[in-house]
Amino acid sequence: MVDQNLSVMASDWQEQAAEYFRYGDYLQAAKLYEAGINVEPSVKSYYWHLGLILLLQGQETEAQTTWLLAMAEGSSEEIEQWTEDLVQVLQAEAERRRLELADYSSAWVIRQHIREVNPNYINNLLHLIGLSTLLGRYTGDELNELGVIELLKSEAGTTTDSELLLQVWKNVLEQAPLHPSSFNLTEACLPYIKEIIPFLDNLIEFVYNTAYSAKQFVLATRFTELGLCLEPKNPELLRTLSCLYQDICEYSKGIETAKLCYSVIDKLADKVYANHLIMRGLMSAGGYWDEFCSVMETHKSLLAALHEEQPSSLTSTATIRLFSSCFFFPYFQDRPEENGIIRSQIGQICQKNIENYAKDQVERYRQKRFSNPKYNKSSTKRLKIGYISYCLRKHSVGHLARWLFQYHNREFFEINTYLLSSEQTNDPLQEWYISQSDKAYKLPLDSSGTAELINKDEIDILIDLDSLTLNNVSEIMAMKPAPVQVTWLGWDASGVPAIDYYIADPYVLPESAQDYYTEKIWRLPQTYIAVDGFEVGVPTLRRDNLNIPSDAIIYLSAQRGYKYNPNTVRLQMQIMQAVPNSYFIVKGLADQEALQNFFIKIAESEGVAGERLRFLPLVSSEEIHRANLAIADVVLDTYPYNGATTTMETLWMGIPIVTRVGQQFSSRNSYTMMVNAGVSEGIAWTDEEYVEWGIRLGKDSSLRQQIAWKLRQSRQTAPLWNGNLFAREMEKAYEQMWQKYLDSCN
């Protein structure tokens, strides 16, 4: 009967079969194709469609048998043509399944059979990879298993669909960013890239996530180098690569890349940032002081020109990079008036541009802020405190903020934590912060989205823990998503006009400091920071291993390259010269060769043999680092940028420290910590006093013992070691800040 219908209705039975197929009536469609084969066995397309129907019903063996039967007696030329025809039928249905039906599983099965028919068809293999990513089953091994990369590098890759390749590449990087095959695929993609800019935009975004979320800096560097194969003088790639080289301690490359970047750009704001990268490289390496001073003078000129120009239409990227342009001033000079004025000028330029390009968002927050607060003075609701940070992890900020979180009174305070650039981070300390929060978010570097989230959460007081450590935080604060905004703990105040308060204490800033801060300085009664203590591991340093006699006096400085200033090093060498049988250990993150040359040159100019200096790399953990501090008899602090966490660790370990007190926040950190630990011995107000204290502590073992005893006793009584009391003082400050806000709205 079916055969007779076919002979009568030969013109439309295939349409009927196709209709059955589209609606999933495979039984009727199969019957029609089987009848068609009986009537016209030489028409190969009937076999292709019948086999496809069998395949979709799970009858894979029957499908393959049907296709092979159709090709059984063909010549090699015919088989080649029939194979191509079969692939076209299967491919059309695979695409329909993917695009119209979102039936990725069936599309994947069909393409697996295309692969069996034509194993080297590169576009089909790319579709298979893409479908694996859509199905969430991609692992990274498939690229090697299917031979995709080898095909892309061979002549077989010349037929590659470049748009398909780019989309699959993006999916692969999203699902298996750290798998070795993802890098190999990126490298193999380069000859096929037709539109370079979109590719590089995607690559740069991926690089940032790999470096600053996944903390895979070496891998991010390799990917960035691939991008430069396409555009060797692309400014964005050069900026990114310079940072990454410095992050992985390849300082010379970082400096040279920053200089190349500076040479290829014209816009003033971009030149400011490129020059900042040169300074960053020079300071990170340590030992390049003369060149740094020259670059700093150029930087001051650039910033003066920028202030004169007053740009108001900068992009978000260009704007947020400007925030860090003042970062190295306190490392260079203890001139808070000059530093503060420049910082506030840059903050105002950034604020103005952010209010322009994020106008709607900023206006929305402003209207909400100036409307009547929903809580009146008698309200008993919990204050919503938001902490925003990139550094609440294995980082100084992460180590020092713990006790505030631990001791927060949850009856009166609700804690939200916004962890930037942390989607791929698996840091135990960060997880601890998440556990201590009412709400916590791992967020990408998306300033607008983060500000919206903070506003939606109706945060009352937003605390910036990073300041200029991460520019995105400053951009978010400039949008002012919370009615009261505060900076605490990070680098220093950022100079962002939208920030209301800066947390300090009676010692860390002089009384005159308000003259050069745009933020209102809020002084806590005793200390701006306190901890209950530090975890200490097992030491790995021994005097005999360092070839230091057991009766020698050991001075130590453990800072990163940023902080090594030649004027202070000269004072330290004067101390060494005056204390016989003394040695100096220099430990920190820097270019070891450059740093050694820097120290030894100054030492020899002061009559100290280079053999009395020891240079040590970083150790594997903070706990070991703290334990190793015990090898020192005296720690010599840096100036004009003191230690902060390192000073607290030194005091906790009971080791005398000599610090030079200045006028700016960064030159008074050790001062406030020593006062709040109950010791005054070692606090120097002049260069001469610094040298005198260093010599005295080196020569007077009884005085060192007295200080060590005093520090051990202070663990029970000193404000610096009372995290609970500190938390109460911070909470009082929050309540008073909030009350001031309520009063201003009534």
Side-chain angles (χ1 to χ4, degrees), residues 639-658:
Y639 172 87
Y641 207 113
N642 295 167
T645 306
T646 51
T647 296
M648 295 184 77
E649 292 168 334
T650 298
L651 296 171
W652 181 255
M653 295 299 295
I655 303 167
I657 182 171
V658 180

Side-chain angles (χ1 to χ4, degrees), residues 340-489:
I341 289 171
I342 295 174
R343 186 172 65 219
S344 65
Q345 289 173 347
I346 296 302
Q348 289 166 7
I349 291 173
C350 293
Q351 181 84 46
K352 178 172 63 176
N353 280 274
I354 292 167
E355 290 176 353
N356 284 342
Y357 65 68
K359 182 178 180 180
D360 293 343
Q361 200 168 357
V362 172
E363 282 298 321
R364 208 162 14 92
Y365 300 158
R366 184 173 293 163
Q367 291 170 9
K368 182 177 179 180
R369 188 166 70 251
F370 288 130
S371 63
N372 288 329
K374 59 180 179 174
Y375 303 110
N376 58 38
K377 295 182 181 181
S378 62
S379 173
T380 58
K381 71 105 183 181
R382 292 196 296 168
L383 268 181
K384 281 190 174 183
I385 308 298
Y387 291 99
I388 182 169
S389 177
Y390 166 65
C391 301
L392 281 180
R393 51 183 170 82
K394 190 177 177 182
H395 181 279
S396 291
V397 169
H399 290 299
L400 298 183
R402 285 181 291 171
W403 286 269
L404 179 57
F405 276 71
Q406 179 176 323
Y407 290 121
H408 255 311
N409 188 329
R410 301 315 169 96
E411 182 180 353
F412 299 109
F413 297 90
E414 180 179 333
I415 308 303
N416 284 21
T417 308
Y418 304 90
L419 303 162
L420 295 187
S421 190
S422 62
E423 318 99 292
Q424 301 178 52
T425 303
N426 185 20
D427 184 296
L429 183 53
Q430 186 172 90
E431 295 303 316
W432 180 87
Y433 277 105
I434 291 172
S435 74
Q436 296 294 308
S437 307
D438 292 281
K439 289 183 181 178
Y441 306 90
K442 287 188 170 186
L443 300 168
L445 286 177
D446 175 9
S447 299
S448 177
T450 301
E452 281 291 280
L453 181 59
I454 292 167
N455 182 256
K456 180 181 177 183
D457 285 345
E458 298 188 322
I459 294 301
D460 298 321
I461 302 177
L462 180 63
I463 316 297
D464 167 15
L465 297 177
D466 293 354
S467 187
L468 299 185
T469 306
L470 182 71
N471 293 342
N472 294 72
V473 175
S474 297
E475 183 184 31
I476 293 164
M477 301 299 282
M479 295 179 185
K480 196 143 191 179
V484 179
Q485 300 195 150
V486 184
T487 296
W488 171 62
L489 191 59

Side-chain angles (χ1 to χ4, degrees), residues 251-354:
Y251 300 109
S252 296
K253 287 185 178 180
I255 294 166
E256 291 308 310
T257 304
K259 289 178 178 178
L260 176 58
C261 180
Y262 185 87
S263 71
V264 300
I265 57 180
D266 299 317
K267 293 182 179 179
L268 181 56
D270 292 336
K271 291 190 84 67
V272 167
Y273 184 68
N275 200 65
H276 163 78
L277 290 181
I278 298 172
M279 292 195 299
R280 184 179 186 263
L282 295 170
M283 288 294 277
S284 297
Y288 290 86
W289 186 256
D290 291 340
E291 185 176 358
F292 171 77
C293 290
S294 174
V295 176
M296 172 60 85
E297 293 307 315
T298 299
H299 204 62
K300 288 182 179 181
S301 299
L302 290 170
L303 291 178
L306 190 72
H307 178 60
E308 180 70 23
E309 182 182 287
Q310 286 293 309
S312 59
S313 57
L314 298 175
T315 64
S316 171
T317 301
T319 300
I320 63 175
R321 283 173 173 158
L322 283 179
F323 280 117
S324 62
S325 59
C326 299
F327 187 82
F328 291 106
F329 279 79
Y331 296 91
F332 176 68
Q333 60 188 22
D334 182 19
R335 297 178 186 170
E337 296 89 348
E338 179 184 345
N339 297 350
I341 289 171
I342 295 174
R343 186 172 65 219
S344 65
Q345 289 173 347
I346 296 302
Q348 289 166 7
I349 291 173
C350 293
Q351 181 84 46
K352 178 172 63 176
N353 280 274
I354 292 167

Side-chain angles (χ1 to χ4, degrees), residues 173-205:
L173 291 191
E174 182 178 338
Q175 291 211 6
L178 307 183
H179 195 283
S181 65
S182 298
F183 177 84
N184 295 333
L185 176 63
T186 306
E187 185 178 31
C189 280
L190 298 184
Y192 300 93
I193 303 304
K194 295 180 178 179
E195 297 184 14
I196 293 177
I197 298 303
F199 175 80
L200 292 182
D201 287 344
N202 283 295
L203 180 66
I204 290 168
E205 181 181 357

